[in-house]
Amino acid sequence: MITAGIDCGAKNTKTVIVRDGKIIAQVAVATGFDQEASVEKSLRNAAESAGIFMEDIDKIYGTGSGKESITMAEDTINDIKAMGKGAIYFFPKARTVADVGAEEGRAAKLDDTGNPIDFAINEKCAAGAGAFIEAMGRALETPLEELGPLALTTDKQVPMNAQCAIFAESEVVGLIHAKTPKNEISKAIHDAMASRIVSMIRRIGINEDLVMIGGVSYNPGFLSAIKRELKLAHIYIPEKPEFGSAVGAAVAAAESCAI
Amino acid sequence: MLANYGYKDASGDFFITIDTDKCNGCSECVSACPMSCFEVLDEDPNDPLREDPVAIVSPVKKKSLKYECGPCKPTADPSPLPCVQACPRQAVSHSW
Amino acid sequence: MTEETKQEFWRWTESNYRNPDLDWNSAKHITVGVDVGSVSSQAVIMADGAVLAYGNMRTGADSPNSARNALKYALDAIGDMPEERMDYCIGTGYGRVNVPFADRSITEIACHARGANFIYGPQVRTVLDVGGQDIKAIQCDERGKVTHFLMNDKCAAGTGRGMEVFADLLGVPIQKVGDRSFDYKGEEPEAVSSTCVVYAKSEATGLLRKGWSKEQVLAAYCKAMAERIYALIERVGVKAEFAVTGGMAKNRGVMDRVMPMVGLDRMQTDYDTQIAGAAGAALFGYALCQKGKGRKK
């Protein structure tokens, strides 16, 4: 059986194709302003990458903030369920999952099938999402892929008072003017962001192994701050964390066929 | 005076309201809050001509109440809030 | 575009004023209020509780200098009064604890209520102040004493800073934002749906790409600002009379969209609405002097 999961996010649209429980394609395209076109493109590219025809796909499930644009999907599942199913697919022992994407942060407590028991969401405010780190990177004139590693090169604590991304930008500019070293500013940015996500995880109660998905999970500065605050030795992260919810959608589609 | 400390952002309303007509500055909320969100001042900063002690939400905490108050608001089985319970005059309330 | 020309988009005019009918020589108490905001700083000099002079300037890189400059600007308007003549000075606003020559500081909540009561009259019950980095909604009694308030300084949505980000994005000078938003002659567009300024910015970029004119986007954003501001006013409630202070009072693109939601007429004044906080501070100084709690000499 072949199923596809499409996660139409604020920044990227991700398609995952699963055949008999194995991932055979993972493709991301920029969402851009025409969501429907990006959805189509990502699905077409994924089918091509898997070496299958579109007709070979038995069922398609959509998820993500732009799920309404996934017109070819048989059904849509909510973002919390998608991230739960995705986490369990990679780490069957996972009972707590956090998903930090470009415009949203989420955390959920799971049962043993990946269904959410409890969840918390940071939405509609850039302070609790990847957009915060991106905006700070622009203020620091540092590309994202350098910003995270930079935070690991210092232990110094510089306080950041602003919560709002817009106000924090001005604060970062102020720190630059005050000649604060870039790595210290970077650490302050990641610590501030991590503390918001940690508070969300603590609200639902951290329970056994923590899985993180979503694009921000690539950021080592962010991960290190999360581990420090939660006193965790390890966080479980799939190889390509940005596809976590798309995998969850594909898995849910397969489960619905099996019933 | 109803003093609303906190904020409204795109994700919701996060205000702690202190009714300063009820508050007598007894400090019970200060000791009850596990995150040290309250302070008692000798004079109400928003009513400088009145000269009685009053509780306020700490200026360093008021912009992050959603997160500061998180531990007292678990998503599953929340229990009554310590600050609200501790106040003998029912002067403290939360908007969320 | 160079940094300098970019910054011009959110500049406004500085001004100072002297009341020609007052003589400082015959005043018993000269009190000063200095309001150091994130964008602008004001100094109001009062002679026995009446406005003698004021200065309204942009806030510079640091609060102490901004406070000093605003005071000097107000003193310049008088011309011949030495700084030593001032009996008591109170700092307020975002930079209030950094006013080096102030005897004490008082919150902007207290000062704005008191100042609005002064510049608009004792009938004022609801005061809205939209500043560069915050929104304050205040209810007060006939003496200008605060009875209910909220201040939102955590989130940029609805603040002057949010508007600056848009003015900058669209390349429209901040003073022209209001008028330009009414230059769009089509049907009033739906408000920009994202509250968060970061997300509203990407939404606006999308609208421009869809072919919307700058004016149409401005109209949609002014409307979003108005809805946001009204949501905060609603929390403390609206009681007549209704007064607006602060810089945003001058932006009709936002205010003309807020007022129909409030459902009341906005009180009018000949004073510069930006001096409310500093005027309130000077009045508190006067009240303290009268109570014998002025500066120990």
Side-chain angles (χ1 to χ4, degrees):
Chain A
M1 180 175 47
I2 301 179
T3 57
I6 305 176
D7 172 11
C8 182
K11 210 174 160 199
N12 293 307
T13 297
K14 286 90 42 177
T15 297
V16 167
I17 300 179
V18 171
R19 177 163 55 203
D20 304 328
K22 285 221 155 52
I23 296 172
I24 55 171
Q26 306 188 81
V27 169
V29 304
T31 300
F33 291 101
D34 188 347
Q35 292 188 338
E36 283 188 29
S38 344
V39 165
E40 267 217 51
K41 188 173 163 198
S42 87
L43 180 61
R44 226 181 18 249
N45 292 359
E48 203 172 292
S49 138
I52 60 168
F53 295 108
M54 299 276 253
E55 302 77 67
D56 297 337
I57 304 174
D58 296 302
K59 205 168 199 176
I60 302 173
Y61 267 18
T63 190
S65 58
K67 52 171 135 355
E68 301 313 320
S69 307
I70 310 173
T71 49
M72 70 289 271
E74 267 83 4
D75 208 347
T76 58
I77 63 168
N78 75 45
D79 309 14
I80 304 292
K81 186 159 180 185
M83 80 170 179
K85 290 287 178 193
I88 288 279
Y89 172 85
F90 291 107
F91 306 102
K93 274 172 52 194
R95 294 298 175 268
T96 310
V97 55
D99 177 357
V100 186
E103 292 201 349
E104 218 171 277
R106 293 181 277 263
K109 193 193 244 179
L110 309 174
D111 68 12
D112 53 6
T113 62
N115 282 317
I117 303 170
D118 239 322
F119 66 91
I121 310 180
N122 254 338
E123 57 175 353
K124 295 181 186 151
C125 169
F132 180 81
I133 299 179
E134 260 178 61
M136 296 311 109
R138 276 197 298 276
L140 261 186
E141 295 177 342
T142 305
L144 270 187
E145 54 285 9
E146 288 171 31
L147 193 65
L150 206 53
L152 303 177
T153 61
T154 179
D155 285 324
K156 208 158 160 214
Q157 298 257 5
V158 181
M160 282 258 296
N161 300 312
Q163 296 283 330
C164 172
I166 296 287
F167 293 149
E169 262 181 64
S170 321
E171 196 171 339
V172 164
V173 171
L175 289 171
I176 298 171
H177 287 164
K179 307 252 180 311
T180 311
K182 251 189 181 182
N183 58 352
E184 291 173 17
I185 303 178
S186 169
K187 180 163 180 292
I189 293 165
H190 289 94
D191 287 359
M193 169 75 187
S195 77
R196 294 175 204 134
I197 302 298
V198 162
S199 144
M200 198 172 62
I201 296 173
R202 286 215 175 107
R203 275 192 67 207
I204 55 156
I206 179 156
N207 150 336
E208 296 170 47
D209 307 328
L210 173 67
V211 175
M212 290 214 42
I213 61 170
V216 182
S217 315
Y218 278 115
N219 184 320
F222 172 71
L223 291 178
S224 138
I226 295 265
K227 279 190 215 161
R228 198 171 341 109
E229 273 218 38
L230 283 175
K231 301 190 174 61
L232 287 177
H234 190 72
I235 297 176
Y236 296 86
I237 302 169
E239 198 182 326
K240 292 188 167 177
E242 73 274 35
F243 290 101
S245 290
V247 170
V251 168
E255 283 177 4
S256 79
C257 292
I259 297 169
Chain B
M1 179 198 311
L2 290 173
N4 289 287
Y5 297 96
Y7 53 93
K8 176 186 185 77
D9 67 18
S11 68
D13 286 30
F14 309 97
F15 288 100
I16 293 180
T17 307
I18 298 177
D19 185 338
T20 63
D21 296 328
K22 293 182 182 163
C23 174
N24 63 352
C26 72
S27 293
E28 291 294 334
C29 54
V30 178
S31 21
C33 176
M35 302 300 282
S36 316
C37 286
F38 296 89
E39 288 174 22
V40 168
L41 302 181
D42 293 337
E43 173 190 287
D44 188 336
N46 299 305
D47 188 3
L49 301 179
R50 172 185 131 153
E51 287 151 358
D52 297 313
V54 75
I56 63 161
V57 173
S58 160
V60 293
K61 304 281 184 174
K62 72 182 174 101
K63 291 187 198 172
S64 50
L65 288 184
K66 176 181 178 181
Y67 307 109
E68 301 294 343
C69 297
C72 291
K73 295 175 187 269
T75 54
D77 317 315
S79 35
L81 298 167
C83 54
V84 173
Q85 284 231 300
C87 181
R89 298 174 158 231
Q90 288 84 44
V92 180
S93 58
H94 285 223
S95 70
W96 79 109
Chain C
M1 203 180 300
T2 66
E3 201 52 40
E4 282 75 19
T5 53
K6 247 177 112 174
Q7 286 198 348
E8 289 300 323
F9 290 134
W10 45 278
R11 293 210 163 186
W12 41 269
T13 328
E14 300 183 329
S15 64
N16 63 356
Y17 161 88
R18 184 221 158 120
N19 182 342
D21 304 328
L22 281 186
D23 178 13
W24 59 268
N25 281 298
S26 56
K28 188 155 180 253
H29 299 292
I30 297 285
T31 59
V32 177
V34 180
D35 181 354
V36 182
S38 61
V39 179
S40 66
S41 298
Q42 297 82 22
V44 170
I45 305 177
M46 286 197 172
D48 297 329
V51 175
L52 175 64
Y54 67 74
N56 180 8
M57 309 183 83
R58 275 186 286 280
T59 296
D62 67 286
S63 302
N65 276 319
S66 307
R68 248 182 236 114
N69 291 339
L71 175 62
K72 188 170 174 304
Y73 199 35
L75 285 168
D76 285 350
I78 306 177
D80 57 351
M81 191 184 85
E83 195 180 319
E84 297 70 49
R85 180 63 178 81
M86 98 189 166
D87 296 308
Y88 202 78
C89 175
I90 292 178
T92 187
Y94 161 80
R96 65 177 177 272
V97 293
N98 292 313
V99 179
F101 48 84
D103 297 281
R104 64 165 293 176
S105 71
I106 291 181
T107 65
E108 48 270 52
I109 299 292
C111 290
H112 270 273
R114 188 90 179 189
N117 175 278
F118 175 79
I119 68 176
Y120 286 104
Q123 311 86 336
V124 62
R125 289 294 171 278
T126 311
V127 182
L128 166 70
D129 174 77
V130 183
Q133 288 192 2
D134 63 13
I135 300 173
K136 297 182 267 288
I138 307 168
Q139 274 192 7
C140 59
D141 65 14
E142 70 290 347
R143 291 162 304 152
K145 184 183 129 29
V146 181
T147 52
H148 193 175
F149 80 87
L150 76 77
M151 169 162 132
N152 201 6
D153 58 353
K154 179 262 175 189
C155 166
T159 68
R161 185 77 193 99
M163 190 47 100
E164 282 169 9
V165 168
F166 261 71
D168 203 27
L169 175 77
L170 298 169
V172 173
I174 194 92
Q175 315 92 309
K176 296 203 175 136
V177 161
D179 289 341
R180 289 279 292 275
S181 78
F182 289 112
D183 284 348
Y184 175 67
K185 295 302 175 210
E187 197 183 315
E188 174 88 348
E190 289 276 303
V192 169
S193 68
S194 316
T195 298
C196 176
V197 179
V198 175
Y199 298 159
K201 243 172 100 176
S202 8
E203 196 178 325
T205 312
L207 294 173
L208 289 170
R209 212 173 288 202
K210 251 170 74 182
W212 283 37
S213 66
K214 280 184 187 179
E215 287 72 19
Q216 197 177 0
V217 174
L218 278 177
Y221 192 62
C222 286
K223 188 153 184 223
M225 295 260 303
E227 286 178 359
R228 160 84 181 161
I229 292 168
Y230 183 64
L232 286 164
I233 302 172
E234 247 188 330
R235 248 211 116 71
V236 302
V238 174
K239 262 196 216 163
E241 299 280 323
F242 187 91
V244 187
T245 62
M248 195 66 75
K250 298 174 179 174
N251 185 325
R252 72 177 189 103
V254 175
M255 292 320 300
D256 286 4
R257 290 176 170 94
V258 171
M259 294 316 295
M261 299 185 217
V262 172
L264 291 174
D265 283 331
R266 177 180 160 190
M267 294 179 83
Q268 298 297 322
T269 176
D270 293 332
Y271 285 104
D272 183 333
T273 53
Q274 276 180 284
I275 67 160
L283 285 167
F284 275 121
Y286 181 54
L288 290 170
C289 286
Q290 277 182 311
K291 275 179 143 187
K293 292 188 172 176
R295 190 183 297 163
K296 307 267 183 299
K297 293 198 178 165

